[in-house]
Amino acid sequence: MNTRVLTGITTTGTPHLGNYAGAIRPAVQASTQPGVDAFFFLADYHALIKCDDPARVARSRLEIAATWLAVGLDHERVTFYRQSDIPEIPELSWLLTCVTAKGLMNRAHAYKASVDQNVAKGVDPDDGVTMGLFSYPVLMAADILMFNANKVPVGRDQIQHLEMARDIAQRFNHLYGRDYFTLPEVTIEEDVATLPGLDGRKMSKSYNNTIPLFEGGANALRASVMRIVTDSRAPGEAKDAESSHLYTLYRAFATQAESAAFRKQLEEGMGWGDAKQALYEHLEALLAPMREKYFDLIANPGRIEDILQAGAARARKLAAPMMQELREAVGLRNLNAGTAAGKAQGKKEKGKGARFVSFRDEDGGFRFRLLAADGEELLLSQRFADPKEAGALMRRLQSEPADSVLQASSAGYAAMVDGVAVAAAPSGAQADSEAQLARARDALASLSQE
Ligand code: TRP
């Protein structure tokens, strides 16, 4: 029972050391854990909300993709893609928009901050506020709910967006009467370093205090390290490691033993100039091999493009059937599905006729449903711990005569395999269960003839 971990990176900037330590490194690390299916994507639709400079968006997508691959993301194992390569995401975003209360969006921090600034300036409260900014949390909910993510690692500033994603998912599930969406959980990495920047404040592009990760090469790295602010203690004087940003930075990239040795040198009076040189050399040793891969990738954008397109194809294998189910749920259905001609056509077009769909329930168990061509639920299975068991039963049900498999029962009817009811009429199914049983038998029979 794998856990789906999903996160997105807005493509507006160039990755710096703080992004690496705070987000990229822990995410890549998490993706190697057993039992984890990781989904990492470039949130390039989100980039358009903040940035109307096409060159910058384009460059940032390239740099961020190259960075993740260069630091060791295994694209065979992780589903790594661009948001804008998945047309199902904006499509889902619209379905979600239609169930999202405007009042919920009014409370979003990012939007409220813009309004507050406008009010303080004495201009129109919505000055410069686009619908993109206003609806930002809905698009983010679509990113997450599309793939039924269980865990979403993000920074603290995103906690509210995750709460909104859960709200929106619950609203949709409630309105359309079924648990279409898994409720995602936020994960905040408590012990991951928030790196100080050159001036000691949090390293952030908006403070203009960042240390570049790869761009500019060793020279830019060294030049930045030399600009880190220190106190005025002279060489020979004991330094207080704990209050030094230099030490905090060093520690984020060193083993305990290395940090202890560095700390001792500071306490024994190492000059700040030497300390900076030591930090630079330590970082350079760590980053140089990754940087080489990075520039190699940047020089071969076609390779990155291929990797991202393969990732998108994998992601869409999940997104397309999910979206199909959601379209049916809201009533965007094939008009012809109920007619004889439609049924014949439906058989030819995979996914348009009766079908089994498997899903994970809220407790992480695996279940499946039998749906009629028009999307009506005809059977709901028991829950299984092992998805293979559920899969084997779906095949088994199709391989046996529908009339003997589906039998009337106290709950209406049930699908029997070796004397065990493996699936039953969904609760709250139509009162006329005999007609319903006939429909279920028809649907199952149509599958076994295929
Ligand atoms: N809003 C996120 C940020 O700025 C990026 C993002 C977009 C995201 N979609 C997401 C993160 C989905 C996690 C899940 O950091």
Side-chain angles (χ1 to χ4, degrees):
M1 192 179 81
N2 282 1
T3 303
R4 285 195 180 167
V5 175
L6 175 145
T7 196
I9 314 94
T10 309
T11 54
T12 44
T14 297
H16 55 68
L17 215 52
N19 300 138
Y20 174 66
I24 305 173
R25 187 173 60 179
V28 170
Q29 165 69 25
S31 73
T32 66
Q33 301 299 305
V36 165
D37 285 336
F39 293 70
F40 297 155
F41 68 96
L42 307 180
D44 50 1
Y45 279 139
H46 276 103
L48 303 183
I49 295 170
K50 294 189 213 162
C51 179
D52 60 8
D53 175 355
R56 193 158 129 219
V57 171
R59 178 73 195 173
S60 175
R61 289 160 105 225
L62 175 68
E63 288 177 351
I64 293 180
T67 298
W68 283 74
L69 294 168
V71 305
L73 175 123
D74 178 355
H75 63 270
E76 301 282 343
R77 180 175 173 141
V78 174
T79 306
F80 184 52
Y81 55 97
R82 281 175 296 216
Q83 185 185 32
S84 67
D85 283 340
I86 318 292
E88 288 80 8
I89 289 177
E91 191 177 358
L92 174 55
S93 187
W94 181 252
L95 298 197
L96 299 180
T97 297
C98 294
V99 303
T100 301
K102 175 172 177 288
L104 183 69
M105 295 298 101
N106 286 343
R107 292 196 286 278
H109 299 319
Y111 165 69
K112 268 186 14 192
S114 294
V115 170
D116 289 349
Q117 277 171 24
N118 284 336
V119 170
K121 276 193 281 180
V123 297
D124 184 278
D126 279 333
D127 193 52
V129 175
T130 64
M131 286 307 295
L133 175 66
F134 188 66
S135 310
Y136 179 117
V138 185
L139 178 58
M140 183 158 159
D143 294 331
I144 298 167
L145 303 179
M146 182 90 257
F147 298 103
N148 281 323
N150 304 104
K151 302 221 142 94
V152 183
V154 284
R156 298 196 164 279
D157 59 327
Q158 300 292 317
I159 294 176
Q160 190 195 34
H161 292 151
L162 260 293
E163 282 164 5
M164 290 177 160
R166 291 172 62 93
D167 264 16
I168 295 169
Q170 272 170 316
R171 176 99 186 112
F172 189 100
N173 287 347
H174 176 74
L175 269 176
Y176 293 104
R178 218 199 280 159
D179 289 340
Y180 290 94
F181 297 122
T182 303
L183 301 188
E185 277 168 36
V186 66
T187 35
I188 302 291
E189 305 251 4
E190 298 293 353
D191 52 344
V192 162
T194 305
L195 284 198
L198 300 177
D199 56 359
R201 289 186 293 173
K202 177 184 172 201
M203 191 181 294
S204 159
K205 201 176 51 169
S206 34
Y207 294 148
N208 200 17
N209 65 355
T210 61
I211 299 176
L213 181 59
F214 299 136
E215 283 292 321
N219 287 342
L221 177 64
R222 186 164 192 283
S224 292
V225 169
M226 293 303 152
R227 278 170 36 226
I228 296 171
V229 172
T230 60
D231 65 26
S232 57
R233 278 175 227 186
E237 270 185 80
K239 314 287 185 298
D240 176 19
E242 277 316 313
S243 69
S244 148
H245 322 313
L246 210 65
Y247 177 65
T248 310
L249 280 163
Y250 192 95
R251 212 173 36 182
F253 298 97
T255 63
Q256 281 199 350
E258 289 166 335
S259 306
F262 189 65
R263 180 191 188 109
K264 191 151 169 279
Q265 286 180 298
L266 284 170
E267 286 167 358
E268 287 172 1
M270 173 167 54
W272 287 125
D274 290 343
K276 286 179 177 179
Q277 181 64 24
L279 171 61
Y280 159 68
E281 282 169 15
H282 186 81
L283 290 175
E284 178 59 17
L286 179 84
L287 299 180
M290 299 195 269
R291 187 194 295 129
E292 197 178 322
K293 284 191 204 139
Y294 173 82
F295 281 114
D296 196 40
L297 283 159
I298 294 275
N300 291 285
R303 241 164 74 201
I304 308 180
E305 181 68 31
D306 289 347
I307 290 171
L308 289 170
Q309 289 200 12
R314 246 163 81 189
R316 290 194 70 195
K317 278 218 173 97
L318 298 168
M322 175 76 167
M323 202 56 226
Q324 183 60 33
E325 208 186 327
L326 296 170
R327 291 178 63 100
E328 303 251 353
V330 301
L332 305 177
R333 297 173 188 153
N334 183 337
L335 297 180
N336 204 18
T339 68
K343 277 187 186 140
Q345 187 191 10
K347 270 189 197 157
K348 273 182 256 137
E349 290 172 37
K350 194 166 170 281
K352 296 276 170 65
R355 65 212 172 272
F356 280 104
V357 288
S358 48
F359 68 102
R360 280 176 84 169
D361 65 20
E362 268 193 53
D363 304 320
F366 293 87
R367 293 176 186 253
F368 57 84
R369 299 186 171 95
L370 174 64
L371 301 182
D374 63 3
E376 188 187 354
E377 182 174 350
L378 299 169
L379 271 179
L380 172 64
S381 81
Q382 307 297 333
R383 54 194 300 260
F384 302 96
D386 182 356
K388 290 201 196 95
E389 193 182 348
L393 281 169
M394 275 190 275
R395 285 191 296 278
R396 178 89 188 267
L397 291 178
Q398 293 174 60
S399 71
E400 299 199 3
D403 289 354
S404 61
V405 168
L406 290 176
Q407 297 169 16
S409 74
S410 55
Y413 54 89
M416 307 297 292
V417 169
D418 300 333
V420 178
V422 298
S427 58
Q430 267 187 20
D432 185 0
S433 68
E434 208 152 296
Q436 199 68 359
L437 172 56
R439 288 197 55 174
R441 281 179 171 159
D442 275 356
L444 189 57
S446 78
L447 287 170
S448 57
Q449 285 156 16
E450 271 172 13

